[in-house]
Amino acid sequence: MKTYLVPVDFSEAAFNAADFAAQLSHQSDVTTIILMNAYYISPYETMFPDPNMMMLRQEEIEEEAVDRINQLEKLKRKLTKEVKEGVQIQVRLNRSHLLRAVVDVVVQDKADMVIIGSIGNSTVREGSINIGSHVIKISKASPVPVIVVPPDYRYQPIDEAVIACDFKKVKETIPMEVLHKLLGKQAIKLLVVNIDATDNTGGKDAEQQAEETALHVMLKGFHPRYYYINTPNIISGILDFANEHKAQMVIALPHTYSFLQSILHNSISQQLAKNSTVPVLLLK
């Protein structure tokens, strides 16, 4: 995993995500971290006055752009002292909407991972925050995996990760190469948990349940531990499980179960942003 992209809106949540990326560099083979701020000015803002009869002048726009670059450079200097030796930090000011900016930088710079705070990253010039909305859009549109970092989370080396899925509905190949690249040579303990609102196990234990599925074959080389939990609230069940087992990350597989879909639903993403105490990795 060579390149991380970190969208930065200069909120505390964004700074925390940037710090997470810097610390994660010590655990992966990343070589470049891109700090990107999206600064979009509608043409109408330069043509028509706002309610206070004020119009944006080109000089003001350019001054704001310079100020944003200076803030990115300041963050770069701070993170340079925290990253693994040899990791380069670059800054980008993208003059488009955040979603377009993220996708463009991922494609142009061949980024392997997007790391974003679970709140913030509004492109509104006044800095107002709409919890979860941009996270949802980025997670859906990003062509590469996304790590969502809670605002109060402080980086810990990833030793245990919870994989949330439905044992029986995993039919596609799990992109385990992403985990290899993310974690480098470090051995990680995988806790694979199936959480359902109804008990359909027929009395089988989790290992026995998993053995009958394609999931067991895919993960065999990683020697995971399997768990089967019944709870009416899937999201709370997974997050509670991660907290109880002191896991440092929750991993949502692509196109499986209702967990990923639930996270990308507005109301649930707000719950995740407010309540999750560990980062969530959304695989692609």
Side-chain angles (χ1 to χ4, degrees), residues 153 156-157 159-162 191 239-249 278:
Y153 184 79
Q156 300 176 39
D159 178 59
E160 291 193 332
V162 173
L191 312 180
L239 297 180
D240 289 345
F241 178 89
N243 290 332
E244 290 171 5
H245 288 77
K246 295 181 172 56
Q248 292 82 36
M249 181 171 286
V278 296

Side-chain angles (χ1 to χ4, degrees), residues 42-214:
S42 166
Y44 295 104
E45 295 182 76
T46 62
M47 297 170 59
F48 303 103
D50 63 15
N52 297 319
M53 301 304 293
M54 301 290 292
M55 290 176 58
L56 273 179
R57 294 180 294 108
Q58 189 62 35
E59 294 84 352
E60 294 174 318
I61 296 174
E62 295 307 320
E63 288 174 1
E64 175 74 10
V66 170
D67 180 64
R68 287 170 180 253
I69 292 176
N70 288 337
Q71 291 186 69
L72 288 173
E73 290 288 352
K74 180 179 179 181
L75 178 59
K76 173 183 175 180
R77 290 192 293 271
K78 174 181 179 295
L79 296 181
T80 298
K81 302 174 183 178
E82 301 177 11
V83 296
K84 179 179 63 180
E85 184 177 357
V87 173
Q88 295 185 341
I89 301 178
Q90 302 176 2
V91 300
R92 296 277 194 283
L93 182 66
N94 194 300
R95 302 293 287 268
S96 60
H97 287 291
L98 176 61
L99 183 60
R100 177 63 181 271
V102 168
V103 174
D104 285 349
V105 174
V106 166
V107 173
Q108 293 169 6
D109 292 85
K110 296 180 172 60
D112 302 286
M113 180 84 71
V114 176
I115 301 177
I116 188 171
S118 59
I119 62 175
N121 273 292
S122 171
T123 51
V124 178
R125 286 187 298 109
E126 297 302 321
S128 48
I129 293 175
N130 183 3
I131 294 178
S133 64
H134 292 295
V135 174
I136 297 163
K137 294 174 183 177
I138 289 173
S139 299
K140 287 182 175 180
S142 172
V144 297
V146 176
I147 293 181
V148 181
V149 183
D152 296 326
Y153 184 79
R154 297 299 176 262
Y155 179 83
Q156 300 176 39
I158 302 172
D159 178 59
E160 291 193 332
V162 173
I163 293 184
C165 65
D166 185 323
F167 293 172
K168 293 185 176 181
K169 293 185 180 180
V170 178
K171 297 180 180 179
E172 301 179 7
T173 301
I174 297 173
M176 298 307 295
E177 69 278 2
V178 174
L179 298 182
H180 283 301
K181 292 179 181 179
L182 170 65
L183 302 171
K185 297 180 180 179
Q186 170 152 334
I188 182 173
K189 301 173 184 175
L190 296 181
L191 312 180
V192 186
V193 57
N194 187 134
I195 298 185
D196 201 346
T198 59
D199 187 358
N200 295 317
T201 64
K204 301 175 183 178
D205 63 23
E207 181 74 24
Q208 185 179 5
Q209 180 85 356
E211 284 180 356
E212 301 176 1
T213 69

Side-chain angles (χ1 to χ4, degrees), residues 180 190 216-224 226:
H180 283 301
L190 296 181
H216 192 272
V217 176
M218 294 178 193
L219 297 179
K220 188 175 181 179
F222 294 88
H223 308 290
Y226 292 93

